[in-house]
Structure formats: structure tokens, C-alpha cells
Amino acid sequence: MIVDKDFVIATIDERLYGSFIEHLGRAVYGGIYEPGHPSADERGFRKDVLSLIRKLRVPIIRYPGGNFVSGYDWKDGVGPLELRPSRLELAWRTIEPNRFGMNEFVDWSKAAGTDVMWAINLGTHGVEEARQIVEYANHASGSYWSDLRISHGYKAPHAIKTWCLGNEMDGPWQIGQKTATEYGRVAAESAKVMKLVDPSIELVACGSSGKFMASYPEWEATVLDHTYDHVEFLSLHSYYGNADNDTETFLGRSLEMEDFIRSVTATCDYIKAKKRSKKTMHLSFDEWNVWFHSNDADKKIEPWQVAPPQLEDVYTMEDALVVGCLLIALLKHSDRVRMACLAQLVNVIAPIMTENGGDAWAQTIFYPYMHASVYGRGQALVPLVQSPKYDTKEITDIPYLESIAVYNEEANEVTIFAVNRDLKHSLPLEVDLRSFGGCRVLEHLVLENDDLKSTNTARQPERVAPHSHGNAIVDGSKISASLTKASWNVIRLSLN
Ligand code: AHR
């Protein structure tokens, strides 16, 4: 790989390392919020979970859904607890007790050191709710909704900057599903009133729920036709699985993520040209992850429970490699993908798992996510990679080496993230750092395990965890390392 200081993809928007918490399963109740848990503070926030989240340095968290938001009335979740209703939650067919809502989430986010990305309901609600919620959250005082917030104990506005206009509105599973035109119109009108209330906010319009949708990418074009002038971002969602146990293909799925990003970018630029616009649309990949392990178990869950164990994927070593490749794919497109959310954060397809009343621990995917979020700040550099490749039945030309470097000028460091997709052999890596001159290896972290199906559990929470015995060495401005088979690597270099 050749890395040059002058070949910059972009200064990475830290929101690329965002995550997501939905009122779904045990993400909120039993996850981040569990009054009575031994580690809970006086507000019911689990401190053991908070301390794991702080390690991830999550810059922004999307909330409260997801599919949940399309049937949610945010007013049910504010004000005195004793007045809050329990509701049938139709997206996931549970009971939503509304013990936790906007104000609790804002408080919790401060404790977690993260910002809020709020998704509004454009399924069963619309323009009126859009203006009310921004007024409640962001207007200082002297109006009905802002004074209501103050009466709930929150004098200072929440100043929520980033808002999603609904969720996956193209999906037949969505409460209040819409055609692209129906959605485009309501999203544009909602955006208008939201920005009349607070012109400083940034908005995300819904792209397709995935590349698999028959309406993709026509959906994007139509939605943008209506919303282009009103929003800053278009969303992408994608989940990857290995139900056929074809690990080589699974490891190549990040190439599909890149294709998806390229084609959504092209669609945005087509509408830009059509509108003779000077504005460039950015992308918010606000749901991405591996998701498939829990599919069968979820079918057996009885409806109308409070916080049942839904979507509790237990992640393996190979899932961590895929997440590492997906993170590198996002970095490679960080000029257009400015925000992204690992979906989700706790218990629900998540890097952090908890037991109700018990422990909290890091799943395998926690580690690549943490490494990228902590060390991947600065400028993403163009990765000029020459690597042997392999083909599978579904995907061709998959390079064994997936890699990118990030230059952090402030820290005077370059960090190389690299996955060796070869399941049988180690891969010799040589990096030519050229214009950077000399450097020294601060550490070479490696995540690997002989058993690609190994997992972390409450009883064995560190079975899959990184070590710092990687063998990267420097010779002048050349870095060499042997990347062990099926491994995630972080080579941190301090520049002279
Ligand atoms: O993250 C789980 C679900 O996946 C979200 O609720 C929905 O937006 C997507 O289909």
C-alpha cells in the first residue's frame, strides 16, 4: 500500500462513528436504563454500560428508532412518569412503558459524552408533529412547547442539531409506509417547518431501506426531487449476514457496501445536475452492521412483552472482521458519507451486551468499532493498494488486503487499519509512507482467533479480544508487517 500525505479523501466527520439506540428489545430497558440494577445511578442509567460506551467515544446516537419511531408519539415519553401511558408498540409487537423518553435520553447522552440524532415520526404523524417537537426540544422559551419543556424541568434547550425525517418509509413493514412521492412531499414540508423553528438544524431524508428494495434507486431520485433544497443528508441502510456459512463471501460484503455508496452518490449527483444546484448532498449511513444470528430466535418471541430479548445477535470473530471491512469501506467514502450509525449499540444487534440485573460486556465487534472511532480521527488517505484477489460464486475480485490509513495531524500520528481476508495464510503487508518521512511504531494491535466462530459471553467476556503483539516494523519510511490469517490490525505510527 502506498500512502501519501497529499492524497486526501476527506477530513473525517467524527459522526462517521455514530451508533443507534431504538426502543426495541432490551436496548433501552435492561440495556442503558435499568433502575434498581447494582450499577445504576439515581436516574436509572447503568454505569457499567456507560463506561463501555465511553470507551467507544461514540460521537452521536440515533434515537428513538428505527421502525419503532413510525408509530411513536414522543409526547408519551415526556413529563411526569406517573402520567405516561403504556402503549402497544406495533413495529416490534411489544408493550412500550414510556419510562424513558426524550429528556431522559438527552440526560443519558450527556453522561455518555455523545450527541443526539433524533428521528421524527413520519409514519403516523407528519408536519404538525415535526414543528412541535423541534419547538419543544430547541426553542428557548415563551411558546407553548418550549414552556412545556421548561415545566418538565429542562430550562435550557436541548439544542438537538441532527434530525432524521422518519425511518425506512419505503418498507412494507413500516407503519405508515409511503410511496416516494408521498414521502418526498411530507419530508420536504416537515423540513420546511422544522427549519422555520430552528434554522441551525441539519436534516436527513430517508433513502431506500436497502439495495434489495425493488424501488431502489428510483426512490432516492424521487425523494431528492422533492427534498434536495431542504435537507443536508440522504440515508442508507444495510445489514450483512452469513446464513449460508460462506465466510469468504461474507468477508467480501464490504465491496457491496461500497457499490451501494457509489450508486447513491451518483443518484444524488444526478439530481444535483437536474436542479442545477450548487449544493452537494452528503450521505448518512445511519444503519449498518452484521445481522442474522438472531433471526430464528426472534420468530419464537411471544408478543406484547416489555423489553423481550429481540435481535440479540451473539457476534463471532468473523463478524468482527466483516465489521472491520465495513468500517474501512465507510472511511474510503468519507468525502460523501459524513455520518454513519453502527446499528445498534446495546443488546440489539450490538457491540455491548448486558444481563438484566447482571453483567455488561464487549462483543467481538466492539473492538474494530472502538479502534476506528478512537484512532480513526483526522484525514482519511487514499489507499493505493495492490493485493492478490479471490473470487466466490457471488462476488469477484475480493482483495485479500482491505486497508486504509488515517492521518491525525494534531497527534502527529498515522494509523493503518488492515484486514487480512485470507482464512488460511498470513499476508505480508508493506506500506510506503513516502512524504511522511520517518516514524516509529507505537503499537500494532491484532484481533484474531483460531476459531472464527468464537464469541464473547457473560462467562467468557474476553475470549475474543485484541492483543498488542503484532509484528509491524519500520525501515525508513517503509512499514512491514505480517498480517496473520483472518485478522483485524491497527498499526499506530508516531511521525518523526
Ligand atoms: O435496526 C433494526 C431495524 O432495522 C430498524 O428498526 C429498522 O430501521 C431496520 O429495518
Side-chain angles (χ1 to χ4, degrees):
M1 177 162 73
I2 300 171
V3 172
D4 194 300
K5 211 187 212 159
D6 293 323
F7 300 164
V8 176
I9 299 171
T11 297
I12 300 157
D13 186 324
E14 63 168 18
R15 293 176 294 178
L16 195 70
Y17 306 116
S19 190
F20 177 29
I21 290 176
E22 178 169 0
H23 280 248
L24 159 55
R26 298 189 308 118
V28 174
Y29 307 108
I32 61 173
Y33 174 78
E34 195 179 342
H37 185 277
S39 86
D41 68 12
E42 65 295 347
R43 298 167 295 186
F45 302 164
R46 278 186 66 157
K47 286 191 278 187
D48 54 347
V49 175
L50 277 171
S51 91
L52 282 165
I53 291 173
R54 281 194 215 100
K55 287 188 188 167
L56 294 169
R57 279 189 65 194
V58 187
I60 194 163
I61 300 180
R62 185 164 175 258
Y63 173 89
N67 296 339
F68 167 81
V69 81
S70 298
Y72 179 52
D73 188 342
W74 66 275
K75 297 187 279 307
D76 288 345
V78 295
L81 279 180
E82 63 281 9
L83 299 180
R84 297 192 194 176
S86 284
R87 299 268 189 208
L88 284 192
E89 198 293 283
L90 300 184
W92 303 101
R93 309 192 74 226
T94 61
I95 298 291
E96 171 53 54
N98 284 305
R99 316 313 290 164
F100 191 97
M102 177 186 276
N103 296 321
E104 288 80 17
F105 187 66
V106 168
D107 285 343
W108 179 85
S109 296
K110 286 187 184 136
T114 183
D115 277 341
V116 175
M117 179 194 285
W118 189 281
I120 64 163
N121 174 355
L122 288 185
T124 57
H125 292 182
V127 182
E128 179 57 24
E129 126 127 10
R131 60 176 283 223
Q132 292 173 0
I133 193 170
V134 179
E135 186 182 317
Y136 180 93
N138 286 8
H139 192 69
S141 64
S143 68
Y144 177 79
W145 294 103
S146 58
D147 289 345
L148 185 65
R149 183 199 67 242
I150 293 169
S151 78
H152 291 158
Y154 293 84
K155 187 158 188 332
H158 294 325
I160 299 174
K161 189 179 158 60
T162 315
W163 298 76
C164 300
L165 298 166
N167 177 71
E168 298 192 345
M169 297 311 306
D170 57 337
W173 58 88
Q174 203 66 214
I175 301 167
Q177 182 198 7
K178 297 192 168 29
T179 65
T181 306
E182 286 166 347
Y183 171 68
R185 288 289 303 126
V186 76
E189 291 305 313
S190 302
K192 227 163 72 183
V193 298
M194 291 166 84
K195 286 189 173 172
L196 283 171
V197 177
D198 182 354
S200 72
I201 60 176
E202 291 195 322
L203 299 175
V204 186
C206 290
S208 297
S209 301
K211 228 174 134 191
F212 61 88
M213 296 297 292
S215 50
Y216 162 81
E218 204 44 54
W219 170 276
E220 276 74 0
T222 307
V223 167
L224 286 176
D225 243 336
H226 292 287
T227 58
Y228 202 89
D229 294 335
H230 301 287
V231 304
E232 285 66 38
F233 295 90
L234 184 70
S235 75
L236 296 83
H237 289 182
S238 201
Y239 294 97
Y240 303 91
N242 189 17
D244 302 335
N245 199 18
D246 173 357
T247 301
E248 292 192 324
T249 302
F250 188 36
L251 286 172
R253 295 283 177 211
S254 63
L255 274 64
E256 294 181 346
M257 181 194 239
E258 287 199 64
D259 269 350
F260 187 26
I261 293 170
R262 277 189 211 100
S263 55
V264 174
T265 301
T267 311
C268 292
D269 291 347
Y270 159 67
I271 300 296
K272 177 181 182 179
K274 192 174 160 192
K275 289 188 175 289
R276 276 77 173 139
S277 175
K278 290 203 164 56
K279 166 173 153 186
T280 297
M281 189 60 57
H282 287 127
L283 308 185
S284 171
F285 213 124
D286 47 41
E287 288 190 31
W288 68 272
N289 202 350
V290 169
W291 174 13
F292 72 106
H293 295 286
S294 58
N295 291 352
D296 289 339
D298 283 341
K299 288 185 195 126
K300 297 181 195 125
I301 292 177
E302 288 296 320
W304 317 130
Q305 302 179 58
V306 174
Q310 290 165 312
L311 278 65
E312 297 205 356
D313 276 40
V314 175
Y315 288 116
T316 62
M317 173 63 215
E318 73 181 23
D319 298 329
L321 295 175
V322 172
V323 164
C325 291
L326 296 171
L327 283 159
I328 293 173
L330 291 170
L331 281 165
K332 281 169 146 176
H333 297 274
S334 52
D335 53 338
R336 293 304 284 269
V337 184
R338 294 290 171 90
M339 303 198 287
C341 302
L342 175 70
Q344 300 191 10
L345 189 55
V346 182
N347 287 331
V348 172
I349 43 174
I352 296 168
M353 289 296 284
T354 71
E355 289 174 327
N356 291 350
D359 292 339
W361 65 98
Q363 295 229 59
T364 61
I365 64 168
F366 181 94
Y367 296 106
Y369 177 44
M370 174 177 75
H371 292 152
S373 175
V374 172
Y375 301 122
R377 310 272 174 135
Q379 292 181 320
L381 302 176
V382 177
L384 294 168
V385 170
Q386 268 189 356
S387 162
K389 295 179 175 169
Y390 66 94
D391 294 337
T392 68
K393 255 194 264 158
E394 266 190 76
I395 312 177
T396 53
D397 287 328
I398 306 171
Y400 283 108
L401 174 66
E402 191 61 72
S403 186
I404 194 161
V406 172
Y407 172 39
N408 184 333
E409 198 172 357
E410 218 176 297
N412 205 31
E413 280 177 28
V414 168
T415 299
I416 297 162
F417 300 107
V419 173
N420 175 10
R421 289 191 175 98
D422 195 322
L423 301 181
K424 298 205 181 87
H425 308 103
S426 59
L427 186 70
L429 171 71
E430 280 183 22
V431 185
D432 179 350
L433 272 191
R434 297 185 156 199
S435 55
F436 283 107
C439 62
R440 73 188 165 85
V441 176
L442 287 173
E443 60 180 346
H444 176 177
L445 300 165
V446 186
L447 188 67
E448 60 184 342
N449 198 292
D450 278 339
D451 177 5
L452 283 181
K453 304 295 180 193
S454 55
T455 58
N456 291 342
T457 59
R459 306 299 149 242
Q460 278 190 297
E462 287 179 11
R463 192 161 159 224
V464 182
H467 64 76
S468 54
H469 310 306
N471 57 15
I473 51 163
V474 177
D475 180 7
S477 60
K478 296 241 186 321
I479 321 298
S480 316
S482 172
L483 308 182
T484 46
K485 65 179 182 188
S487 62
W488 160 258
N489 298 264
V490 183
I491 302 172
R492 295 183 53 225
L493 305 164
S494 172
L495 301 166
N496 290 343

